[in-house]
């Protein structure tokens, strides 16, 4: 699914009006009816619904919803923010329709003293402001937002919580942003919904389709995407009946050090479960018996050092190389990683301590062979690129880094993002908080390495790997719960994840 900036979404609204064609009031009615249907499905008529409307299209949506829900015997009240100016266009038409219906109490909010008395059963619907804001709310609007946030009632926001910007929010005022329990966003999620710092405002969001014109969506360029099953299926190659282990790639995994052999075991198992034909895991001498016992399907390559990575085998047999899980950052390991970067002729997956070593030797970034995939968590990413003020700034840095160094950057998190050398960014739609557990990143490294070794292009391997990793975690959470989920559960459910996306 393409994602768009708030300005682009406004342009798509206009394109739909001009080319469907449809009037703006009818498009507003269509959008409002989708939200009304959601309200009916989620709240009974026992609740009083209080709509807070502003002067723009979000206010118009709120006015239309109040009228529509009143026709379904909901007790609705509307509180319209007074800016001293008359409403215009579709919002004014919806105000007139509400008056003509004569089922909904309409009150003008001229000061904070006009805020209604609430009962605990009331549902508050926020339609003050939409995504077209360019600066933080202030004055009466800011005071009303703070007043709503002080209540214990359920809050539902129309399209976007009032006060929240659609992209960058580093200069916003947090106290002047609605903290919604539910956000009913229209056609596309807003980009800011995908950032951890905005969860407190957005709550649980749901995309409601309003049939914006498909030609407009197709013609409008965007570097941003939100992964859907179809995006993954088209990237997963079909297997021939005559495939054999020699035709499905040979991966080299360099992982483990004294006290961290578990990372090598997890990444090895995940690589094998991702379908690679052959896997060689390179471990320190002390890890030989561990890897041979814990992962009998893998071949073992033994480092000359007893407890750390200092060398690697002949690279000629391998179609992809993964390095980093449990590696350590000793000086000998740093030298060996530098040699690996210089000598590898195949794509690398770099994770964990391999990234930390690179952060301390940034001049080595120019040595990255084409097709490399980096999989940092936010802390590792900051060490690579420096501090950023917000998640929106971070993704811009992520894209710039991927373009500059001709690599794919997987920035791990609740909505893991994948930046490509072409300057595109994909957000993942699978996964759950239970995956925030030790070894989850090692499993992801193994999955991506296994796909890459089978000959998948680097971007495809990263996208499919991240999506499968999250889906396996979701399947595991259904039986283990988010609280009890461990990395091994993700690996053990990879097969079910493959079945789900291919069935």
């Amino acid at each position: 699914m393409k994602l768009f900036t708030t300005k682009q979404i406004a342009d798509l609204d206009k394109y739909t009006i001009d080319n469907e064609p449809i009037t703006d009031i009818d498009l507003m009615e269509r959008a409002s009816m989708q939200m009304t249907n959601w309200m009916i499905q989620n709240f009974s008529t026992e609740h009083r619904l209080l709509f807070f409307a502003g002067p723009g299209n979000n206010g118009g949506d709120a006015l239309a919803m109040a009228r529509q829900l009143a026709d379904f015997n909901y007790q609705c009240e509307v509180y319209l923010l007074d800016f001293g100016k008359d409403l215009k266009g579709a919002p004014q038409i919806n105000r007139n329709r509400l008056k003509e219906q004569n089922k909904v109490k309409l009150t003008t909010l001229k000061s904070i003293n006009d805020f209604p008395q609430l009962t605990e059963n009331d549902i508050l619907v926020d339609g003050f402001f939409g995504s077209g804001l360019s600066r933080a709310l202030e004055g009466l609007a800011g005071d009303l937002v703070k007043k709503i946030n002080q209540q214990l009632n359920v809050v539902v926001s129309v399209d976007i919580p009032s006060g929240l910007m659609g992209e960058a929010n580093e200069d916003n005022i947090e106290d002047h942003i609605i903290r919604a329990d539910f956000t009913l966003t229209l056609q596309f999620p807003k980009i800011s919904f995908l950032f951890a710092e905005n969860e407190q405002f957005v709550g649980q969001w749901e995309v409601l389709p309003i049939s914006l014109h498909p030609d407009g969506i197709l013609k409008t360029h965007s570097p941003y995407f939100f992964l859907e099953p179809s995006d993954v299926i088209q990237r997963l190659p079909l297997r021939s009946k005559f495939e054999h282990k020699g035709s499905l790639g040979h991966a080299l995994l360099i992982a483990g050090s004294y006290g961290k052999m578990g990372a090598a075991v997890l990444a090895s198992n995940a690589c094998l479960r991702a379908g690679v034909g052959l896997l060689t895991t390179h471990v320190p001498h002390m890890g030989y018996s561990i890897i041979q016992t814990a992962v009998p399907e893998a071949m073992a390559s033994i480092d000359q050092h007893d407890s750390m990575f200092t060398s690697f085998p002949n690279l000629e047999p391998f179609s992809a190389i993964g390095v980093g899980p449990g590696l350590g950052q000793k000086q000998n390991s740093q030298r060996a990683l530098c040699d690996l970067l210089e000598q590898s002729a195949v794509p690398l997956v770099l994770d964990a301590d391999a990234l930390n070593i690179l952060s301390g030797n940034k001049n080595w970034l120019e040595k990255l062979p084409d097709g490399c995939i980096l999989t940092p968590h936010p802390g590792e990413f900051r060490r690579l690129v420096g501090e950023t003020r917000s998640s929106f700034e971070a993704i811009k840095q992520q894209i710039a880094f991927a373009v500059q160094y001709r690599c794919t950057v997987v920035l791990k998190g609740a909505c893991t993002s994948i930046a490509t050398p072409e300057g595109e960014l994909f957000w993942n739609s699978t996964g759950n908080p239970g995956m925030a557990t030790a070894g989850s990143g090692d499993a992801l490294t193994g999955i991506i390495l296994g796909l890459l070794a089978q000959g998948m292009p680097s971007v495809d391997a990263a996208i499919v790997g991240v999506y499968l990793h999250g889906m396996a975690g979701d399947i595991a959470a259904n039986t283990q719960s988010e609280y009890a989920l461990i990395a091994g559960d993700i690996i053990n459910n990879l097969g079910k994840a493959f079945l789900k996306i291919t069935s």
Side-chain angles (χ1 to χ4, degrees):
M1 176 198 299
K2 274 186 183 179
L3 297 186
F4 299 99
T5 64
T6 52
K7 182 183 183 306
Q8 287 178 310
I9 294 173
D11 290 341
L12 287 170
D13 285 346
K14 185 177 185 305
Y15 186 96
T16 301
I17 290 168
D18 292 341
N19 291 275
E20 184 170 334
I22 186 174
T23 63
D24 58 348
I25 185 64
D26 287 338
L27 183 60
M28 183 174 286
E29 191 75 6
R30 180 194 293 173
S32 301
M33 199 67 224
Q34 287 281 42
M35 291 184 282
T36 290
N37 288 335
W38 186 92
M39 296 288 292
I40 292 169
Q41 292 166 15
N42 287 273
F43 302 113
S44 72
T45 54
E46 295 176 358
H47 296 276
R48 184 175 62 149
L49 307 180
L50 279 65
F51 294 81
F52 294 87
N57 284 342
N58 275 42
D61 289 334
L63 290 163
M65 290 171 66
R67 168 175 47 81
Q68 291 164 356
L69 284 158
D71 280 337
F72 285 97
N73 297 318
Y74 283 83
Q75 181 186 355
C76 300
E77 298 179 11
V78 171
Y79 295 84
L80 182 61
L81 183 59
D82 181 11
F83 271 128
K85 298 179 181 179
D86 291 335
L87 297 181
K88 296 180 180 179
Q92 178 61 34
I93 293 172
N94 270 321
R95 182 179 182 178
N96 293 340
R97 288 178 176 178
L98 194 69
K99 287 184 175 180
E100 291 169 5
Q101 182 199 46
N102 199 29
K103 292 183 179 180
V104 177
K105 176 185 174 184
L106 178 60
T107 301
T108 300
L109 289 171
K110 296 183 178 180
S111 76
I112 197 68
N113 295 326
D114 296 322
F115 194 86
Q117 292 291 320
L118 304 178
T119 66
E120 62 180 15
N121 208 35
D122 293 338
I123 306 295
L124 312 185
V125 180
D126 156 43
F128 275 139
F129 297 96
S131 55
L133 285 177
S134 58
R135 57 189 174 88
L137 296 181
E138 55 188 20
L140 177 58
D143 291 341
L144 288 168
V145 165
K146 287 194 287 186
K147 183 73 172 179
I148 288 175
N149 287 341
Q150 290 168 0
Q151 312 308 311
L152 299 179
N153 301 74
V154 171
V155 177
V156 179
S157 280
V158 171
D159 197 35
I160 188 170
S162 292
L164 186 69
M165 315 294 182
E167 293 85 43
N169 281 275
E170 53 263 25
D171 296 320
N172 212 334
I173 301 172
E174 288 195 357
D175 287 346
H176 292 183
I177 304 172
I178 287 287
R179 297 174 186 268
D181 296 286
F182 302 95
T183 298
L184 308 181
T185 191
L186 302 173
Q187 193 73 42
F188 316 99
K190 306 301 181 284
I191 289 169
S192 59
F193 292 7
L194 304 173
F195 302 145
E197 63 263 32
N198 296 329
E199 182 186 22
Q200 60 183 317
F201 311 119
V202 180
Q204 180 180 328
W205 53 269
E206 185 159 347
V207 178
L208 302 179
I210 59 170
S211 300
L212 293 184
H213 203 294
D215 289 348
I217 294 171
L218 185 64
K219 292 176 182 178
T220 304
H221 170 74
S222 175
Y224 303 123
F225 300 85
F226 189 65
L227 289 178
E228 297 180 298
S230 59
D231 300 312
V232 177
I233 293 168
Q234 67 186 10
R235 289 177 164 84
L236 193 64
L238 295 175
R239 287 198 166 186
S240 163
K241 176 181 178 180
F242 297 99
E243 300 281 17
H244 53 85
K245 65 182 180 182
S247 66
L248 291 173
H250 189 171
L252 172 64
L253 174 66
I254 301 172
S257 60
Y258 184 80
K260 297 179 180 179
M261 283 302 300
V265 171
L266 288 166
S268 295
N269 279 323
C271 183
L272 289 161
R273 285 289 184 195
V276 72
L278 295 165
L279 169 64
T280 295
T281 303
H282 182 85
V283 296
H285 193 274
M286 50 72 54
Y288 169 72
S289 60
I290 296 172
I291 203 72
Q292 288 282 264
T293 303
V295 194
E297 297 89 349
M299 295 175 283
S301 168
I302 309 305
D303 198 280
Q304 60 191 6
H305 197 281
D306 188 58
S307 61
M308 71 178 76
F309 164 53
T310 64
S311 62
F312 47 84
N314 173 28
L315 301 180
E316 187 175 348
F318 305 110
S319 49
I321 301 167
V323 57
L327 202 68
Q329 301 177 54
K330 301 292 187 182
Q331 196 64 40
N332 287 350
S333 298
Q334 295 191 34
R335 283 195 291 267
L337 179 62
C338 183
D339 291 342
L340 181 67
L341 294 175
E342 292 175 342
Q343 295 182 36
S344 178
V346 298
L348 303 176
V349 183
L350 297 163
D351 183 37
D353 282 328
L355 297 174
N356 291 326
I357 291 171
L358 280 178
S359 297
N361 301 274
K362 292 182 181 177
N363 56 312
W364 295 358
L365 290 169
E366 296 293 345
K367 301 177 186 288
L368 293 175
D370 288 345
C372 276
I373 301 172
L374 281 61
T375 61
H377 60 55
E380 292 162 346
F381 184 71
R382 285 193 294 271
R383 288 191 282 275
L384 275 173
V385 305
E387 294 291 332
T388 55
R389 292 193 301 158
S390 69
S391 294
F392 188 64
E393 282 193 358
I395 64 163
K396 291 192 288 186
Q397 288 274 45
Q398 181 186 358
I399 293 170
F401 186 99
V403 171
Q404 180 179 355
Y405 294 108
R406 312 167 312 282
C407 62
T408 300
V409 181
V410 176
L411 181 54
K412 295 181 287 195
C415 296
T416 293
S417 54
I418 302 126
T420 76
E422 293 73 37
E424 294 181 330
L425 190 87
F426 296 80
W427 277 280
N428 189 36
S429 58
T430 60
N432 63 81
M435 298 175 70
T437 184
S440 180
D442 302 322
L444 178 61
T445 297
I447 294 167
I448 294 174
L449 174 61
L451 297 170
L452 189 64
Q454 292 173 65
M456 290 181 66
S458 297
V459 170
D460 290 355
I463 287 173
V464 174
V466 167
Y467 190 89
L468 281 170
H469 179 256
M471 180 170 284
D474 289 341
I475 294 168
N478 287 335
T479 56
Q480 299 297 328
S481 81
E482 292 180 359
Y483 295 96
L485 194 152
I486 61 174
D489 298 327
I490 300 171
I491 298 166
N492 291 336
N493 282 283
L494 266 176
K496 292 178 181 177
F498 273 109
L499 287 172
K500 189 168 183 178
I501 67 169
T502 57
S503 59

